[in-house]
């Protein structure tokens, strides 16, 4: 009951905010690209960097020197896998606050578009969904989100959806660094995908989904179309 009331309040607040929100033409757009493990998100972003050199691309956790250090603690510490949802959420939120204050806000205010690889939707997917953060973590999420995004909030979240089984196959096949989230069981990733859908309902008009089970070219074309509909306005 408490969760349903919280969701209703958030939904109505964001629906009203979206209805009256007007983008300042002197500012750039703030766009988040997100997705589960093995969704091909990194590949899409690398292609976007080549096509749109004027866009400022960044990432979370990370994006600033201090936030990158927080990223290392979150993902590579030998104790990280045992950290619960609220611990991980508070860590990533500290990095997000620094990322916004020291990088994102300045870029957007200058008129440049800002695209980040993961952001608040990831916290909802991974800590609320995957790590099963309960009511108190959900309530904290909205309070912290309001504080971190006090000046600028994302205009659009593009979330790449991949079947957890296919995502796991891709992660196993790829080269490079993996972290404890990559290694979680399938039920964790199923909860992440389900939570992303809830996030989309809570923030109407700000979230769009892409079927990432398709070919790389098909996925890129759809993401590119969504991105360009904003930055080429």
């Amino acid at each position: 009951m408490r969760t349903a009331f919280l969701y209703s309040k958030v939904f109505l607040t964001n629906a009203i905010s979206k209805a009256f929100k007007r983008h300042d033409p002197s500012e750039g757009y703030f766009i988040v690209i997100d997705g589960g493990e093995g969704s091909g998100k990194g590949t899409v972003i690398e292609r976007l960097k080549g096509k749109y050199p004027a866009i400022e691309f960044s990432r979370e956790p990370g994006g600033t020197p201090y936030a990158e250090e927080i990223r290392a603690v979150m993902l590579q510490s030998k104790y990280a896998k045992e950290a619960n949802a609220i611990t991980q959420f508070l860590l990533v939120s500290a990095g997000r606050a620094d990322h916004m204050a020291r990088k994102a806000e300045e870029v957007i205010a200058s008129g440049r578009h800002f695209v980040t690889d993961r952001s608040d939707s990831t916290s909802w997917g991974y800590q609320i969904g995957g790590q099963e953060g309960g009511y108190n973590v959900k309530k904290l999420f909205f309070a912290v989100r309001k504080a971190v995004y006090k000046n600028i909030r994302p205009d659009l979240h593009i979330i790449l959806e991949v079947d957890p089984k296919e995502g796991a196959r891709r992660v196993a096949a790829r080269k490079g660094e993996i972290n404890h989230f990559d290694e979680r069981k399938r039920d964790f990733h199923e909860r992440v995908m389900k939570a992303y859908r809830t996030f989309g309902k809570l923030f109407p008009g700000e979230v769009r989904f892409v079927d990432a089970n398709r070919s790389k070219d098909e996925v890129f074309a759809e993401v590119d179309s969504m991105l360009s509909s904003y930055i080429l306005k």
Side-chain angles (χ1 to χ4, degrees):
M1 181 65 72
R2 292 186 305 170
T3 298
F5 178 77
L6 178 64
Y7 283 1
S8 296
K9 181 179 178 181
V10 171
F11 173 82
L12 289 172
T13 299
N14 285 292
I16 293 170
S17 175
K18 186 70 176 178
F20 289 96
K21 182 180 179 181
R22 296 293 181 270
H23 181 76
D24 185 339
S26 69
E27 295 181 344
Y29 280 101
F30 180 10
I31 296 174
V32 177
I33 298 180
D34 207 344
E37 305 302 327
S39 63
K41 173 177 54 62
T43 299
V44 167
I45 290 172
E46 285 305 309
R47 290 182 67 174
L48 291 172
K49 288 179 180 179
K51 184 171 181 179
Y52 300 103
I55 290 178
E56 179 75 23
F57 287 87
S58 192
R59 72 173 182 175
E60 288 190 11
T64 61
Y66 191 38
E68 288 291 333
E69 292 189 2
I70 293 173
R71 178 188 180 91
V73 172
M74 281 193 66
L75 300 181
Q76 301 304 328
S77 167
K78 65 180 180 180
Y79 306 108
K81 189 172 183 178
E82 304 308 316
N84 63 16
I86 193 168
T87 301
Q88 289 281 18
F89 174 66
L90 290 172
L91 271 173
V92 75
S93 295
R96 182 166 301 131
D98 194 70
H99 185 226
M100 289 298 300
R102 295 181 178 273
K103 189 172 186 179
E105 290 180 5
E106 181 179 341
V107 170
I108 293 166
S110 74
R112 296 180 64 198
H113 302 307
F114 188 79
V115 175
T116 179
D117 178 347
R118 298 199 182 283
S119 192
D120 59 323
S121 48
T122 312
S123 294
W124 187 269
Y126 280 67
Q127 277 72 63
I128 302 298
Q131 292 189 275
E132 299 181 285
Y135 173 79
N136 288 332
V137 183
K138 292 172 183 176
K139 189 174 180 180
L140 181 63
F141 173 90
F142 297 116
V144 171
R145 186 180 194 268
K146 185 177 180 180
V148 171
Y149 291 149
K150 62 183 182 297
N151 297 320
I152 297 172
R153 59 184 278 180
D155 295 290
L156 174 67
H157 293 79
I158 300 174
I159 300 178
L160 277 61
E161 292 185 301
V162 65
D163 178 83
K165 183 176 181 180
E166 172 61 16
R169 184 194 67 77
R170 293 177 182 177
V171 169
R174 74 187 180 194
K175 298 178 181 179
E177 185 179 273
I178 63 171
N179 60 64
H180 59 92
F181 288 117
D182 296 312
E183 299 170 341
R184 306 264 175 158
K185 294 181 179 180
R186 188 181 302 175
D187 60 344
F188 174 92
H189 299 288
E190 289 173 346
R191 291 194 298 272
V192 170
M193 291 295 101
K194 184 177 180 180
Y196 277 139
R197 278 288 168 177
T198 300
F199 184 86
K201 293 176 182 177
L202 291 171
F203 295 93
E206 294 182 18
V207 184
R208 298 176 70 178
F209 292 91
V210 174
D211 179 0
N213 296 293
R214 300 171 297 166
S215 72
K216 293 178 181 180
D217 287 343
E218 289 175 308
V219 174
F220 174 77
E222 187 168 353
V223 174
D224 184 30
S225 176
M226 291 178 179
L227 180 68
S228 63
S229 69
Y230 274 72
I231 66 174
L232 299 181
K233 285 182 178 178

